[in-house]
Amino acid sequence: MSKATIKEVAAEAEVSTATVSRVLNESGYVSDEIKERVLEAVAKLNYQPSAIARSLKQDKTYMIGVIVPDISNSYFMGISRGIEDVVGPEGFQLMFCSSDESPDKENRLLQLLQEKRVDAIVLATAGGNDEKVKQLSDSGLPIVLVDRKLESDEAGAGLDLVAEDNEEGACRLTGKLLEDGHVRLGVVNGPARVSTGRERYEGVLKAMREHGLDPKPLVYNGDFSTEDGVLAVRKFLKSDPKPTAIVSLNNRMSLGVLLEIVRSGLKIPDDMAVASFGEVEAGSLLKNPGLYYIDQHPYDMGIKTGELLLKRIRKEETPAEPVFEIFRNEVNRIG
């Protein structure tokens, strides 16, 4: 059975197509009698308005693109849920994309979202696309950076940012291990092209300097994956001397760290202490883990991001000054 058209609805209701459009879009005056006839015709013919046609007419798609490194990561899932809970009731839908920490894939996704005519983009960048992001922003497309900054301060100067206080958080986290007497540290970090990698590592070095230590920890630079945490522990256990504690600067890598320590027959924290930037759900399953972690608030970050998106899409502030919302997180301990 073919789909009903707006012309067929108009014929059934004995009105013009313009009148049908006014009823469906709730724009312009239409008498109650005419409105009832149009809605009865819509129901009878099971008419579905074309979202594409409506978006072209209104110059709005009610779609928001969200590009994150890994949508399956609970941290980014929390952010996405917060965004959805704000923009969803306002009629917007989210288009989720995972860049897999690949600048090339992120570039293609940015191009795709532009072609899809999304009303705004949320970006947790994998790095390397400052020029493309600035180009999109300069064209008038609202972009909100979340969790990560662009590599160039100049490129990101006019963009909203919702992020954590990465340097101070990593500094406080590392400080807990140093206060417990650990001086030989292994650091599991992400790529330096990503602001979270740069800032969190600087926080580790800052804590070591504040405790009078030479800031030269053993470092494994990964790509924010569980496998990176596994490989980092293998590297650390082969070193001489071995570190007595590991600072893992991402929750996915922290999971790999915990898994490999347990596989190696070591006990946490007796044989190897661990501190994680971000809570690891599996950590609570360990017996007496003594695991330090930064308590993140991704859902709250998503709420703030959603509020900014609505402001930018609706152009509520002119001129629009960029907003920098930085969340300060505390150190907690399991066990």
Side-chain angles (χ1 to χ4, degrees):
M1 182 177 178
S2 62
K3 294 182 179 179
T5 67
I6 191 171
K7 289 183 178 180
E8 291 172 334
V9 172
E12 178 69 26
E14 298 180 345
V15 297
S16 69
T17 56
T19 299
V20 175
S21 180
R22 286 199 298 273
V23 171
L24 296 180
N25 292 316
E26 297 181 352
S27 61
Y29 173 77
V30 180
S31 69
D32 291 341
E33 178 197 353
I34 297 296
K35 184 182 297 185
E36 184 177 351
R37 278 164 44 192
V38 169
L39 294 178
E40 287 178 354
V42 167
K44 179 180 178 180
L45 299 176
N46 193 26
Y47 173 67
Q48 298 294 324
S50 169
I52 295 175
R54 186 169 63 248
S55 69
L56 290 172
K57 184 175 181 180
Q58 299 179 353
D59 196 26
K60 186 177 291 186
T61 62
Y62 287 92
M63 294 293 297
I64 296 173
V66 180
I67 303 177
V68 297
D70 181 3
I71 194 62
S72 69
N73 186 321
S74 59
Y75 176 73
F76 291 112
M77 288 173 63
I79 290 176
S80 299
R81 184 58 199 236
I83 296 171
E84 190 171 43
D85 283 353
V86 172
V87 305
E90 301 299 319
F92 290 90
Q93 293 183 327
L94 302 183
M95 183 182 296
F96 296 106
C97 309
S98 293
S99 69
D100 300 322
E101 297 289 2
S102 166
D104 288 340
K105 183 177 181 183
E106 177 179 293
N107 187 282
R108 294 194 300 272
L109 291 172
L110 287 168
Q111 182 64 34
L112 172 66
L113 293 178
Q114 183 183 26
E115 292 170 358
K116 293 292 185 182
R117 299 170 57 87
V118 296
D119 295 327
I121 292 177
V122 177
L123 176 64
T125 183
N129 288 300
D130 287 15
E131 185 177 343
K132 178 66 175 179
V133 174
K134 190 174 187 307
Q135 173 195 341
L136 293 175
S137 177
D138 289 346
S139 74
L141 179 64
I143 297 178
V144 178
L145 301 177
V146 65
D147 183 57
R148 304 173 177 189
K149 303 174 183 175
L150 297 184
E151 293 176 89
S152 164
D153 291 339
E154 181 182 354
L159 301 179
D160 296 318
L161 171 70
V162 180
E164 297 171 314
D165 193 345
N166 289 297
E167 182 175 329
E168 285 304 313
C171 181
R172 292 193 300 273
L173 181 68
T174 305
K176 291 294 185 180
L177 294 176
L178 300 177
E179 290 165 9
D180 287 348
H182 297 283
V183 295
R184 296 195 305 278
L185 300 181
V187 180
V188 191
N189 196 19
R193 70 174 184 273
V194 177
S195 64
T196 49
R198 298 191 300 272
E199 293 171 354
R200 292 175 187 178
Y201 182 61
E202 184 54 42
V204 173
L205 302 184
K206 179 181 178 181
M208 296 184 75
R209 288 193 293 266
E210 289 179 351
H211 283 74
L213 299 174
D214 187 13
K216 293 182 179 179
L218 187 62
V219 180
Y220 180 94
N221 286 308
D223 218 20
F224 294 132
S225 70
T226 301
E227 182 63 19
D228 287 324
V230 171
L231 295 175
V233 172
R234 291 176 183 173
K235 173 184 176 178
F236 296 157
L237 293 182
K238 291 178 181 177
S239 63
D240 187 18
K242 299 180 182 65
T244 62
I246 295 176
V247 183
S248 177
L249 298 176
N250 164 273
N251 63 338
R252 275 292 174 90
M253 296 191 300
S254 299
L255 175 59
V257 167
L258 297 180
L259 290 173
E260 189 60 21
I261 289 176
V262 171
R263 286 196 199 111
S264 301
L266 302 178
K267 294 182 179 180
I268 304 171
D270 297 337
D271 300 317
M272 185 74 72
V274 178
S276 169
F277 202 109
E279 186 175 3
V280 185
E281 295 177 0
S284 60
L285 301 177
L286 300 174
K287 184 178 180 181
N288 189 31
L291 172 68
Y292 290 112
Y293 68 94
I294 284 286
D295 187 13
Q296 298 174 296
H297 303 284
Y299 181 78
D300 295 335
M301 291 175 63
I303 292 291
K304 181 62 181 180
T305 301
E307 292 170 350
L308 284 172
L309 286 166
L310 292 180
K311 281 187 177 181
R312 298 315 181 207
I313 292 171
R314 294 167 175 169
K315 296 181 173 61
E316 292 182 0
E317 296 180 10
T318 305
E321 292 296 327
V323 173
F324 301 97
E325 184 76 18
I326 306 300
F327 285 71
R328 187 180 189 277
N329 302 315
E330 300 300 329
V331 179
N332 290 312
R333 182 172 180 169
I334 299 176

